[in-house]
Amino acid sequence: MKTRKILTCILAGIMSLSALTGCAGGTQTDSTNTSASDTTSAQKNENADTSAAGSDTQSSDTQSNEEPITLDMYFPVSVGGGPDVLISNLCNEFHEEYPNITVNPVYAGTYAETRTKVQAAIKSGNTPAIALMFSIDLYSLLSMDAIYDFNSFATTDEDKEWLGGFYDGFMENSRCGDLTYGIPWQRSTIILYYNKDAYKEVGLDPETPPTTWSELEEYAQKLTKVENGTTTRYGIQIPSDKAGYAYWMLQTFCNQQNGFNLMNDTGTEVYFNDPRTIKGINFWKSLSDNGYQAPGTSAWSTTPTDFLEGRAAMIYHTTGNLTNIKKNATFDFGTAKLPADESFGSPTGGGNFYLFKGVPEEQTQAAYTFIKWMTNDPERVAQWSIDTGYVATRPEAYETERMIKYTTDFPQALVARDQLEYGHAEFSVYDQGSVQDILDTAIEAVMTGSMDAETAMQQAQEQADAILSQYR
């Protein structure tokens, strides 16, 4: 099976229309600019003899006396906390260390909008050398033969050590067979945020969040506040709108059934009509039916605001919003792993750096230098996590003095990392945009009551199968 998966990944980069098997694989802005001044510069790459095809060419380290190189980098902003400002500062810091390389961040909106813009740029012949996109875009990018694997560039012992030093949980959506195509940066798991003051108000222990589905339902019932016939505070809010990440939230209820997932590990099959999927979405819908969650769909973008303004006592959301909530909450709040059914579980999420084909070799080498600079230094990785709430993608970042001090004072920042023990690959398949839209549409139909779960998911299964059959 392993051999088949590796072969498939190679062919996927050559024949975008082949019917082949594949392989495994947040918007508010509260600006801050602490990252650039606080981080410690990483050591430059040395003697990494690579080329776009993996042959011997110039070193991956781009020296300051070479010709100026300018790179446009597409970058999504889907959470609060000011990551756009932080990225701009980091690009400026990189330029100080590598004066001949200028990286211009192009803030492209949500992850989905970034995907659309990058794909349009590729088709129009304006391919960027570098972009940070959904980790789940891997199969779609492979089918376009659009990206390089990083193994071809990481030829020195130093580079190989860097490439193998990320959390395994984040590599499930980053690798194809034995090759790495995405470098984790803006990565996350979904966590439970809860209002400790609201807990005290209704007699719940603020240090004991729910750990099971039944406890989640019990807590949500107690936390829901109705005044004069109007619900002024819902116990729980789990975003479900198509413009957000409805599929991601559904995955939580699937993963918590002994690790069941919505797709296979080759991106060619989905399990929308599986009884476990039906069970998960029905439990989610029951929270609304029982009055503990607002009826219909809840928006991804406004869910943190609803929590901060007291309209929801608990929410599911990305850890990427942790810093935003920490800075703006006027009450004491906690974070916790997602409640379990048969097991704990959360899909990972967020974005990876990609290297794109179709640009001059010197741009590719400069982009590789930038990506390694961004992701190799534990101090820089730690500061990014502190500034945003995203999980630091390398274990050694949690051993730095600044991270130890931060997490000692603010242990909520460790929940998402610790949940990696129960992490699973985020939903990722070929023709990601189309199949994801099918699933999000079905979830919306169930949550709004226009269709029962069995019917909606069966229709979604049939529609997805029609698309994915060409890749099997």
Side-chain angles (χ1 to χ4, degrees):
M1 180 63 184
K2 180 177 180 182
T3 302
R4 179 187 177 196
K5 289 168 66 176
I6 296 173
L7 178 59
T8 298
C9 294
I10 296 172
L11 292 175
I14 302 173
M15 301 175 62
S16 63
L17 296 180
S18 296
L20 297 172
T21 305
C23 65
T27 300
Q28 302 163 287
T29 300
D30 182 13
S31 299
T32 177
N33 57 9
T34 59
S35 174
S37 61
D38 287 346
T39 53
T40 301
S41 296
Q43 294 296 317
K44 298 179 182 180
N45 304 333
E46 297 179 357
N47 303 321
D49 294 328
T50 67
S51 72
S55 60
D56 292 334
T57 60
Q58 69 184 49
S59 167
S60 66
D61 182 14
T62 306
Q63 301 299 329
S64 61
N65 59 355
E66 294 181 352
E67 290 297 318
I69 299 172
T70 299
L71 307 174
D72 287 335
M73 178 182 68
Y74 284 80
F75 194 92
V77 180
S78 290
V79 297
D84 50 346
V85 175
L86 298 172
I87 287 295
S88 293
N89 291 338
L90 284 165
C91 290
N92 291 336
E93 183 183 342
F94 173 78
H95 181 63
E96 291 177 3
E97 190 169 337
Y98 293 85
N100 65 306
I101 306 176
T102 300
V103 180
N104 293 324
V106 178
Y107 300 111
T110 66
Y111 280 110
E113 290 168 338
T114 301
R115 175 199 297 145
T116 299
K117 291 175 182 178
V118 171
Q119 290 178 339
I122 293 171
K123 292 176 182 178
S124 67
N126 296 312
T127 304
I130 181 177
L132 190 136
M133 299 171 62
F134 254 147
S135 63
I136 60 176
D137 287 332
L138 175 61
Y139 295 121
S140 294
L141 293 171
L142 284 174
S143 70
M144 297 175 70
D145 191 24
I147 54 175
Y148 290 119
D149 69 85
F150 283 87
N151 304 77
S152 298
F153 298 84
T155 58
T156 67
D157 290 342
E158 175 196 353
D159 282 11
K160 290 177 182 178
E161 182 179 0
W162 160 72
L163 193 60
F166 299 95
Y167 277 112
D168 288 338
F170 291 139
M171 301 312 292
E172 292 188 36
N173 288 112
S174 303
R175 292 187 182 126
C176 188
D178 289 336
L179 299 179
T180 297
Y181 288 91
I183 298 299
W185 175 248
Q186 190 164 286
R187 299 302 302 271
S188 59
T189 64
I190 303 166
I191 60 176
L192 176 73
Y193 295 85
Y194 65 97
N195 185 326
K196 291 187 175 183
D197 290 352
Y199 271 45
K200 295 175 184 177
E201 177 189 319
V202 300
L204 292 170
D205 183 351
E207 304 306 322
T208 308
T211 59
T212 65
W213 286 9
S214 60
E215 286 184 354
L216 176 65
E217 189 171 22
E218 176 190 346
Y219 281 38
Q221 179 184 17
K222 292 181 178 180
L223 290 162
T224 299
K225 183 187 293 186
V226 179
E227 299 175 320
N228 300 320
T230 301
T231 301
T232 58
R233 184 182 68 204
Y234 285 99
I236 181 69
Q237 184 166 311
I238 303 171
S240 53
D241 64 322
K242 285 184 61 177
Y245 304 99
Y247 73 90
W248 202 32
M249 298 297 125
L250 178 56
Q251 272 193 276
T252 68
F253 299 110
C254 293
N255 293 166
Q256 291 152 16
Q257 298 177 66
N258 288 327
F260 167 66
N261 218 332
L262 284 169
M263 74 292 172
N264 65 1
D265 64 356
T266 62
T268 61
E269 292 182 359
V270 296
Y271 310 117
F272 297 164
N273 61 351
D274 188 281
R276 290 165 291 188
T277 305
I278 306 301
K279 176 184 176 181
I281 196 169
N282 276 334
F283 173 74
W284 184 7
K285 177 65 160 51
S286 74
L287 297 172
S288 296
D289 292 341
N290 292 327
Y292 315 145
Q293 179 175 246
T297 58
S298 298
W300 167 269
S301 60
T302 60
T303 292
T305 303
D306 289 339
F307 179 68
L308 291 170
E309 296 183 357
R311 290 189 290 272
M314 299 185 293
I315 62 170
Y316 281 24
H317 221 271
T318 171
T319 188
N321 241 316
L322 179 59
T323 298
N324 174 50
I325 290 177
K326 178 177 182 287
K327 292 175 65 176
N328 292 291
T330 58
F331 51 84
D332 193 12
F333 75 93
T335 60
K337 295 192 298 290
L338 299 180
D341 180 31
E342 300 167 25
S343 64
F344 290 107
S346 170
T348 59
N352 285 344
F353 284 115
Y354 294 98
L355 280 176
F356 288 85
K357 298 180 179 180
V359 301
E361 182 182 327
E362 61 270 18
Q363 291 190 19
T364 302
Q365 298 290 348
Y368 176 77
T369 298
F370 175 75
I371 292 171
K372 187 184 174 190
W373 181 90
M374 284 283 282
T375 61
N376 191 39
D377 180 13
E379 297 287 348
R380 183 172 296 113
V381 175
Q383 191 64 51
W384 170 257
S385 176
I386 292 168
D387 288 343
T388 63
Y390 285 109
V391 180
T393 55
R394 303 179 70 84
E396 59 264 34
Y398 287 94
E399 299 170 5
T400 63
E401 184 177 346
R402 72 181 67 202
M403 184 63 91
I404 292 172
K405 181 181 186 305
Y406 181 70
T407 56
T408 298
D409 295 339
F410 186 59
Q412 292 94 323
L414 292 174
V415 171
R417 182 207 64 175
D418 294 346
Q419 195 170 231
L420 281 175
E421 179 183 352
Y422 312 100
H424 300 275
E426 185 176 2
F427 181 71
S428 180
V429 294
Y430 284 97
D431 205 346
Q432 177 74 27
S434 298
V435 179
Q436 181 181 315
D437 183 68
I438 289 169
L439 178 56
D440 286 342
T441 299
I443 294 171
E444 182 179 66
V446 176
M447 299 304 291
T448 59
S450 64
M451 199 175 294
D452 64 82
E454 290 79 1
T455 302
M457 290 302 163
Q458 181 59 40
Q459 290 187 6
Q461 182 72 45
E462 294 169 359
Q463 293 168 1
D465 283 343
I467 294 174
L468 294 174
S469 60
Q470 64 182 304
Y471 299 104
R472 296 171 186 162

